[in-house]
Amino acid sequence: MASASDRPASRHRDGGRAQWQSPAMTRRIRRRYLGDRLFRAAGLAALLAAGLFLLLLVGNIAWQARTGFFQTEVRLEVAIPADVAAGETPGSPGFGAAVDAYPWRSVALSALRDRFGGDSRGDLASLRGLISRGGAAVALRAAVRDDPSLIGTRATLWLPASEPADQWAKDRDAATSLSERQVGWLESFAAAGDLETRFNGRFFATGNSRDPALAGIGGAVIGSFLTLLVTLAVAFPIGVFTAIYLEEFAPQNRITDFIEVNINNLAAVPSIVFGLLGLQVFLNTFGMPRSAPVVGGLTLALMTLPTIIISGRAALKAVPNSIRDAALGLGASRTQVVLHHVLPAAMPGMLTGTIIGMAQALGETAPLLMIGMVAFIVEVPASFTEAATVLPVQIYMWAELPEAAYRAKTAAGISVLLIFLISMNALAVYLRNRFETK
């Protein structure tokens, strides 16, 4: 028989069991589980929506860029006269100098006229619309320079097609500016096997051009590379040593608090403000060369410094204090503790922050527009002080041009830029996993 003291407890347990199994409590539990399932479903739906939007973005860019990496060429039998080719052979007095392209255009036009005939002004204008004027001249000159024995002979060469002809070969319904006669000539080229769309290697080796067949991203890629080298050489050491001093050596007072607050504020300043600063300081005050990678790199270094400092301080804070205490207990100096123990442990985080900041700098356009890196650059830059442009600015310039071929090249340039950004972020992940101290 239960004691008197046990009976209230038993009634409490029975009452609690009854309350837990009551219909009201059952409904509350069901609503709780339903809310949990809805919350997880909402998170999964958000993840799927983000992935779908990313897939649509990348797919749209890839679809538009599919034709930007290719160029249509026509095969012609060309007579190469000796007077036009003078100065194109190695050892000749004019070799290497800039040669007028108009004679080469006349050579290509003569080859078209020999194949299709026509001497009237209208016929000649229609024939000129089949091939790229600048591209044909460059291809002919390159062929002669590679093989001087072609001079004075008739050679079968592949010449770049014009922008409308290129669009017609890639999409028969897209080219609307071609006449019926020009379409007939192109169909005769295609029937004879003299019309092919090939991978455009010049796209990665040449600079900008008003001729779509000659326009490439080689100059912009080299300009971006030189600019990022300057940015890395300036921003990384300054950012790392600033983070080390503020986190490990600086006293906690109003001055350091003021510096920390302003560093955090600079990380949120619009990038065009740094462009104005670079314009005033590097160009107007110090008179540095306009549109040069060295100026662009210094400007982007100012913009990247706050990101490197903040990530560097966060990496230093993540190092356990026990490492510092153990090194100090063994007699190491404060500098030895930082350089031999703390910094190696924090370096993966610092490298990750630096590469992410460099990736952000690679995609910036506004600050570089302010310092003149929007110039029309034809030649590939060879030094840090030559006029250059960068890949985002090149894409911006192509997006404003009306020709359909530049739209495809814009998408192709964006694809290359995305590949660079993904590669840099992948490198950051690799370095973090490779050098991280477990």
Side-chain angles (χ1 to χ4, degrees), residues 264-288:
N264 294 328
N265 290 334
L266 284 175
V269 170
S271 59
I272 195 170
V273 176
F274 294 98
L276 292 172
L277 179 63
L279 173 64
Q280 179 61 37
V281 175
F282 301 127
L283 296 184
N284 297 339
T285 302
F286 294 104
M288 300 182 73

Side-chain angles (χ1 to χ4, degrees), residues 281-338:
V281 175
F282 301 127
L283 296 184
N284 297 339
T285 302
F286 294 104
M288 300 182 73
R290 193 176 183 86
S291 303
V294 62
V295 180
L298 291 174
T299 303
L300 294 180
L302 296 177
M303 187 193 71
T304 311
L305 267 177
T307 302
I308 297 178
I309 294 173
I310 293 173
S311 62
R313 294 193 63 189
L316 292 171
K317 287 180 181 180
V319 178
N321 287 327
S322 58
I323 296 179
R324 300 176 177 86
D325 297 338
L328 290 173
L330 292 175
S333 65
R334 191 67 178 273
T335 303
Q336 288 176 326
V337 170
V338 173

